[in-house]
Amino acid sequence: MIQFLLVRLSLFAPILLGVLLIGFLLLQVVPSDPAAIRAGPMATAEVIEAIREELGLNRPLPEQFLIYLAKVLQGDLGRSLISNAKVVEELAATLPPTVELMAVCMLWAVPLGIALGTMAAVHRGGLLDRMLMLVSVAGVSMPVFFVGILLIWVFGFWLQVLPTSGRGGPLWTLEGWQSILLPALTLGCIILGPIARVTRTSVIEALGADHVRTARAKGLSWPKVIVRHGLRNALVPVVTLIGLQVGFLLGGAVVTETMFAWPGIGRLAVGAILSNDLPVAQGAIICLSLGFITINLGVDMLYAALDPRIRLG
């Protein structure tokens, strides 16, 4: 297991380097001048040029990237061009709300998706199977902004039982739970359908294996056969999908946090891009990329725990 972990960690550095390079180059093509943004609309050309020299914007792009990379390795992501606050401080303030949102989303969507997929596999071809798959297809087909608008209209304006914007407080308070329900439901609908569909396919395949028939012939109850021999062997592709869906969650979080005025990294990134605040946008990209890489590393570890052949191979 240790060797397997070290091999996966060895891929961490080049992937992160590639993310930093791509993020740096993409933000260089934005038609804006960071020096002019920091100087303000009333600044003279001499002041703007002095700020460009201070920020190193007059240097060649390779040299700018090396300077930027050296600062990132030291934990210095620069300062915001708008607020002049440290980017690290702004990310630290918006990271907990995003983590809370994704945790609550996964908390209800993943178990429910696995349960629905297993139920559909057990009742394969029946009415329940068709109804569950219809719901999952609908969940896959609807875009996240449509789901969010629908939930806002139903629970915010029609029933008026849940707040539709802002973060009411931490999760251990009633206001915190009330404010996070609609964003978490919106995000969870993105991954619920795919998880249910993949679980159904995997469980059907696992239940048709020889060892499952042997366990059934030995007299094990059908629920034990499903859980011990069917579902566990079917979880490897499901875990793969969950890891991939994290990327969609991060993308959906940008839209969801903007819709519900949730003070997370996604909303911070959108605001930074719209205001041409390049240091904050680059910091948000790094933070989101680190989260995606870390979760995929966790998925690899779950592979090894669920199927020893993976780590031995």
Side-chain angles (χ1 to χ4, degrees), residues 146-232:
F146 177 78
V147 177
I149 292 174
L150 185 63
L151 292 177
I152 289 174
W153 180 77
V154 173
F155 294 99
F157 293 97
W158 183 31
L159 299 178
Q160 296 184 359
V161 293
L162 293 174
T164 59
S165 63
R167 178 172 177 252
L171 284 181
W172 56 84
T173 63
L174 177 61
E175 293 80 6
W177 273 106
Q178 289 177 337
S179 61
I180 203 174
L181 282 179
L182 290 185
L185 286 174
T186 302
L187 265 186
C189 289
I190 300 177
I191 65 173
L192 180 63
I195 292 176
R197 292 173 62 85
V198 172
T199 302
R200 175 185 179 274
T201 303
S202 300
V203 171
I204 289 175
E205 182 179 355
L207 292 179
D210 293 336
H211 69 277
V212 174
R213 288 193 292 268
T214 302
R216 188 67 171 147
K218 287 182 177 181
L220 286 179
S221 63
W222 187 230
K224 289 184 178 180
V225 171
I226 294 173
V227 175
R228 293 183 181 179
H229 300 280
L231 184 57
R232 179 173 181 179

Side-chain angles (χ1 to χ4, degrees), residues 27-297:
L27 291 177
Q28 296 304 311
V29 301
V30 176
S32 62
D33 187 356
I37 296 173
R38 171 166 287 185
M42 305 301 294
T44 62
E46 292 78 9
V47 173
I48 295 176
E49 186 62 28
I51 294 177
R52 288 183 58 84
E53 185 67 28
E54 178 186 353
L55 297 177
L57 300 177
N58 293 329
R59 302 179 183 182
L61 277 181
E63 186 176 352
Q64 290 185 41
F65 176 70
L66 291 177
I67 295 173
Y68 173 69
L69 182 60
K71 291 182 178 180
V72 169
L73 294 177
Q74 296 173 3
D76 181 11
L77 299 180
R79 288 182 173 272
S80 169
L81 298 178
I82 306 300
S83 64
N84 201 35
K86 290 184 178 180
V87 175
V88 175
E89 295 177 354
E90 296 204 8
L91 293 176
T94 54
L95 180 60
T98 296
V99 172
E100 288 180 0
L101 179 59
M102 295 189 65
V104 175
C105 165
M106 302 285 285
L107 185 64
W108 78 268
V110 172
L112 182 58
I114 294 176
L116 293 179
T118 305
M119 291 172 58
V122 173
H123 299 86
R124 179 184 180 184
L127 179 61
L128 181 61
D129 179 23
R130 295 177 182 178
M131 291 178 60
L132 292 176
M133 288 303 99
L134 178 63
V135 172
S136 67
V137 170
V140 173
S141 305
M142 290 187 296
V144 60
F145 67 86
F146 177 78
V147 177
I149 292 174
L150 185 63
L151 292 177
I152 289 174
W153 180 77
V154 173
F155 294 99
F157 293 97
W158 183 31
L159 299 178
Q160 296 184 359
V161 293
L162 293 174
T164 59
S165 63
R167 178 172 177 252
L171 284 181
W172 56 84
T173 63
L174 177 61
E175 293 80 6
W177 273 106
Q178 289 177 337
S179 61
I180 203 174
L181 282 179
L182 290 185
L185 286 174
T186 302
L187 265 186
C189 289
I190 300 177
I191 65 173
L192 180 63
I195 292 176
R197 292 173 62 85
V198 172
T199 302
R200 175 185 179 274
T201 303
S202 300
V203 171
I204 289 175
E205 182 179 355
L207 292 179
D210 293 336
H211 69 277
V212 174
R213 288 193 292 268
T214 302
R216 188 67 171 147
K218 287 182 177 181
L220 286 179
S221 63
W222 187 230
K224 289 184 178 180
V225 171
I226 294 173
V227 175
R228 293 183 181 179
H229 300 280
L231 184 57
R232 179 173 181 179
N233 292 324
L235 280 181
V236 172
V238 177
V239 170
T240 305
L241 177 68
I242 293 172
L244 295 175
Q245 289 297 314
V246 170
F248 292 100
L249 279 182
L250 292 174
V254 174
V255 179
T256 305
E257 290 178 359
T258 304
M259 290 181 60
F260 292 94
W262 190 260
I265 291 182
R267 188 185 179 203
L268 178 68
V270 171
I273 294 173
L274 293 178
S275 61
N276 294 322
D277 195 347
L278 301 187
V280 175
Q282 288 175 330
I285 291 173
I286 294 173
C287 193
L288 293 174
S289 302
L290 281 174
F292 186 76
I293 294 172
T294 303
I295 292 177
N296 276 274
L297 180 63

